[in-house]
Amino acid sequence: MCGIVTAIATNNIVPVLLEGLRKLEYRGYDSAGLAVLSGELTRLRSAGRVAELAALADARQLSANIGIAHTRWATHGVPSERNAHPHISGGLAVVHNGIIENFEAIKTGLQARGYVFTSETDTEAIAHLIHSKLQGTPDLFEAVRLATNELVGAYAIGVLAEADPFRAIVARRGSPLLLGVGEDGMYAASDTAALLQVTRKVVYLEDGDLAELRRDSYRIVLADGTPVEREVHLSSLSADAVELGKFRHYMQKEIFEQPQALANTLELIAGGGGISPQHFGARAAEVFEGVRRVLVLACGTSYHAGLVARYWIEAIAKLPVTVEIASEYRYRESVPDPDTLVVVISQSGETADTLAALKHAKSLGMERTLAICNVPESAIVRETALRFITRAGPEIGVASTKAFTTQLAAFALLTLALAKLNGRLSAADEERHLVALRHLPVAVQKVLELEPEIEKWAQRFASKEHALFLGRGSHWPIAMEGALKLKEISYIHAEAYAAGELKHGPLALVDKDMPVIAVSPHDQLLEKLKSNLQEVRARGGELYVFADAGSEIPESEGVHILHMPEHYGMLSPVLHVIPLQLLSYHAALVKGTDVDKPRNLAKSVTVE
Ligand code: M6R
């Protein structure tokens, strides 16, 4: 979603703003803009890419020591130059990430006072509101504080004013924002990647914080104006981790990083390490004690990871598991049980619905909370009693890949830890699972070698308008994940079904134009799945089967088989998702879509 960069420095900050925006492009956006102060306020906006904004800045030979910049993902108002940020009120400019829920009321009040709105955005209301506060106080920082106290909803904002050219103000509640402490200046941005070009020293702002940035200093206050100190962290994010290197797309890079991402995530059990609640934090044994059920809350791909985990936890730890879409759970009247372990899963740790669902669960008295997350300092991680940080490294492509497989690795450890605590895991079984987990990166590497064959399949796929994905058991969520990947980046309509459901409706869709992709591991459901595949074939449907070695599904006309290197027991879903990621990637390449930044989508969904 929207990205923010703010800079005030001794040098020209225009290149810093533009490079910061380039690094935030992955979050998803449809327009971009910036405002700088150099004697007067200059604003540039483009209803296109950051490159177009950079060209505008070049043409103007723009140079300044203070500025704010923004990539916009449209919420209020269509993507257009008029709605692009910054928004201006008098000599004051504002960029904003988030949604202001009471903006209509604020707007009506401001219009009554004579403010004229030129855009359809909620952000313009913030600009005018701050401007109106300046009528009562000469201090910009205080005006921003008073204005933000009236906002309901989520925001991260950057503000500068012509009349006050030696400081920029930033504030956050609900949307991510961090400060960068540089040698030659002070910065703020939506994530660290945008600031690595100038500094590794970062300060994570908390909800309600406001900060004043000057060239050589900064100060932070709480919403009531009380000064507060926040720790300075040294980011270990490597600049390489956010570079494409030899790859054509981030999604491709991230698919191929999975062996290393899994090895990093599973480092805890490398060598002689056994299964322990400690993997989830020092207090984990205490929090897990007496847990009678598990509730998983997540969105999108992370939700699919939770669905796989349900099969594992119920089968091995023998605890009942409910998996809920966060945006549904937060508004549903559910029956809380304090002995529930609430597990929230999120790559970004900033997903608004997941964060709200977590807060909702806590408000219902469920305090045993665990975050499985890829971003250590994210909002979700800061809200839970326990945390497991997947070590996938930054995931830039909008389509989630390595985050998913590392989430599954985390869930495998959780399953075994809960089983061990409940006396459901024998020493021999623990050892067997540990061997499989330690070998997982190598097993994934072997699956990646199937890419050339998958590429050929993708050629045939790309001309299709629809596709059906089938799976059974713990591979049903893998079919769902495959369908999500395909529609997300290739725009081919795809549905996933538990294969046994086929004849209860979706079979009516099957004809020669409907490719059917079957996730077909060599497990106890294989024979059942084979019968389902016969049902498809009998209706002329063309089958693409991802089978394990030994699955014995013969290739024939209309039945294409790709053999996975080995059957991988409980962890088989981790392997089976890889060819589906590759299939979507290559189908998207053939179709020529914007793989890393698919239309209408954002990487980090920080609004409801
Ligand atoms: O950051 P999160 O894991 O909380 O994000 C949840 C979903 O928005 C995300 O998984 C989305 O579905 C992906 N784009 C799918 O590839």
Side-chain angles (χ1 to χ4, degrees):
M1 304 238 129
C2 308
I4 290 179
V5 189
T6 300
I8 175 164
T10 44
N11 309 324
N12 175 17
I13 49 73
V14 175
V16 176
L17 295 178
L18 290 168
E19 179 58 14
L21 291 188
R22 279 186 205 104
K23 287 290 184 281
L24 296 177
E25 280 189 299
Y26 78 92
R27 295 168 68 87
Y29 73 107
D30 40 56
S31 51
L34 59 78
V36 297
L37 289 175
S38 182
E40 58 185 19
L41 181 69
T42 306
R43 171 175 67 171
L44 298 179
R45 296 185 292 177
S46 149
R49 297 274 136 192
V50 172
E52 290 165 36
L53 183 70
L56 292 178
D58 266 3
R60 298 275 292 261
Q61 297 188 323
L62 202 62
S63 173
N65 301 108
I66 173 170
I68 53 178
H70 189 262
T71 47
R72 173 174 188 254
W73 188 84
T75 56
H76 296 72
V78 294
S80 65
E81 190 180 326
R82 191 166 55 91
N83 286 331
H85 301 204
H87 288 282
I88 286 182
S89 183
L92 181 146
V94 175
V95 289
H96 164 226
N97 170 17
I99 287 188
I100 303 306
E101 290 166 16
N102 60 340
F103 97 99
E104 291 284 9
I106 294 174
K107 184 173 176 176
T108 310
L110 289 165
Q111 280 171 326
R113 294 174 60 187
Y115 282 96
V116 177
F117 283 71
T118 58
S119 77
E120 299 150 82
T121 66
D122 50 348
T123 306
E124 194 177 0
I126 306 177
H128 291 317
L129 186 62
I130 298 171
H131 186 271
S132 73
K133 297 297 175 198
L134 281 171
Q135 315 312 309
T137 168
D139 181 18
L140 178 66
F141 196 37
E142 180 62 3
V144 175
R145 191 184 74 78
L146 293 172
T148 48
N149 280 348
E150 288 182 23
L151 302 178
V152 176
Y155 60 82
I157 57 170
V159 184
L160 46 84
E162 219 167 33
D164 204 340
F166 300 112
R167 58 180 175 165
I169 313 295
V170 297
R172 79 159 286 228
R173 183 182 295 281
S175 299
L177 194 67
L178 52 90
L179 307 186
V181 182
E183 293 291 318
D184 302 316
M186 296 296 152
Y187 308 88
S190 302
D191 74 33
T192 317
L195 298 185
L196 283 180
Q197 51 168 330
V198 280
T199 185
R200 288 192 167 278
K201 286 187 193 163
V202 295
V203 177
Y204 297 98
L205 295 181
E206 299 283 341
D207 267 353
D209 283 358
L210 285 91
E212 175 195 83
L213 309 183
R214 293 182 179 271
R215 282 184 194 181
D216 53 2
S217 65
Y218 67 92
R219 67 183 171 109
I220 305 173
V221 301
L222 303 174
D224 65 2
T226 313
V228 65
E229 295 288 329
R230 302 278 179 225
E231 202 181 329
V232 180
H233 299 257
L234 202 58
S235 170
S236 57
L237 185 64
S238 105
D240 285 354
V242 288
E243 296 298 338
L244 258 182
K246 63 179 184 185
F247 293 96
R248 197 165 155 195
H249 295 100
Y250 282 106
M251 181 182 182
Q252 182 193 26
K253 177 178 185 241
E254 287 154 10
I255 290 173
F256 281 88
E257 279 174 348
Q258 288 179 107
Q260 192 56 52
L262 283 163
N264 292 345
T265 301
L266 292 168
E267 202 176 24
L268 298 158
I269 54 146
I275 298 295
S276 161
Q278 296 280 329
H279 302 329
F280 300 90
R283 286 185 51 224
E286 174 200 327
V287 174
F288 289 168
E289 178 72 38
V291 158
R292 292 191 307 158
R293 59 186 67 247
V294 177
L295 169 64
V296 181
L297 303 170
C299 303
T301 289
S302 298
Y303 168 70
H304 295 156
L307 290 176
V308 173
R310 181 176 64 180
Y311 287 90
W312 292 348
I313 297 172
E314 294 207 340
I316 296 170
K318 304 291 179 201
L319 288 170
V321 181
T322 311
V323 188
E324 297 229 21
I325 293 172
S327 56
E328 286 296 313
Y329 174 77
R330 61 184 288 196
Y331 293 117
R332 192 169 77 74
E333 280 192 37
S334 54
V335 183
D337 174 354
D339 293 334
T340 302
L341 176 65
V342 179
V343 185
V344 280
I345 323 163
S346 176
Q347 187 285 129
S348 61
E350 302 289 348
T351 302
D353 282 321
T354 309
L355 182 59
L358 168 64
K359 288 181 178 168
H360 179 62
K362 285 168 70 176
S363 75
L364 296 175
M366 294 191 281
E367 293 293 340
R368 299 162 186 261
T369 53
L370 162 67
I372 294 178
C373 188
N374 198 36
V375 182
E377 295 297 334
S378 58
I380 285 175
V381 168
R382 282 183 267 153
E383 280 284 332
T384 49
L386 304 176
R387 60 210 47 104
F388 183 100
I389 304 302
T390 49
R391 291 174 57 197
E395 193 180 66
I396 309 284
V398 164
S400 192
T401 53
K402 60 179 181 172
F404 179 69
T405 43
T406 53
Q407 286 167 349
L408 290 181
F411 267 124
L413 294 177
L414 179 65
T415 301
L416 299 175
L418 291 172
K420 197 168 173 179
L421 276 175
N422 292 348
R424 303 264 183 195
L425 190 70
S426 69
D429 280 346
E430 179 178 353
E431 190 48 35
R432 187 170 52 78
H433 285 298
L434 283 170
V435 168
L437 279 165
R438 287 178 192 135
H439 181 63
L440 190 59
V442 175
V444 167
Q445 186 63 50
K446 280 198 212 147
V447 180
L448 288 169
E449 288 162 18
L450 298 175
E451 189 187 25
E453 289 169 71
I454 297 168
E455 215 175 326
K456 284 186 211 143
W457 280 16
Q459 298 285 343
R460 293 196 223 148
F461 250 80
S463 58
K464 304 287 181 189
E465 287 182 11
H466 309 275
L468 260 187
F469 285 71
L470 300 179
R472 294 195 74 128
S474 60
H475 294 78
W476 172 31
I478 295 304
M480 295 165 83
E481 176 59 8
L484 176 62
K485 287 287 92 89
L486 191 70
K487 58 189 149 198
E488 187 176 23
I489 58 164
S490 74
Y491 315 150
I492 296 171
H493 170 231
E495 297 288 341
Y497 278 92
E501 273 292 286
L502 201 58
K503 52 183 153 320
H504 299 288
L507 199 54
L509 293 171
V510 172
D511 63 12
K512 64 177 179 25
D513 295 322
M514 174 70 87
V516 178
I517 299 99
V519 185
S520 183
H522 193 186
D523 62 11
Q524 74 282 10
L525 291 170
L526 179 62
E527 291 310 316
K528 305 264 179 220
L529 184 71
K530 281 183 184 172
S531 309
N532 303 139
L533 301 188
Q534 290 301 333
E535 292 159 10
V536 171
R537 206 44 218 131
R539 272 88 192 164
E542 189 148 18
L543 278 164
Y544 294 83
V545 184
F546 290 97
D548 284 346
S551 283
E552 289 173 6
I553 304 176
E555 188 132 13
S556 59
E557 202 198 330
V559 183
H560 313 280
I561 312 284
L562 205 145
H563 284 286
M564 303 279 286
E566 57 190 313
H567 176 57
Y568 217 70
M570 168 184 139
L571 296 171
S572 168
V574 183
L575 264 52
H576 268 276
V577 78
I578 310 279
L580 302 186
Q581 296 169 345
L582 286 168
L583 185 67
S584 303
Y585 174 69
H586 284 289
L589 278 193
V590 177
K591 290 199 71 176
T593 57
D594 192 346
V595 173
D596 286 331
K597 297 187 274 288
R599 67 184 179 202
N600 305 339
L601 297 182
K603 178 65 183 164
S604 188
V605 186
T606 51
V607 296
E608 191 178 343

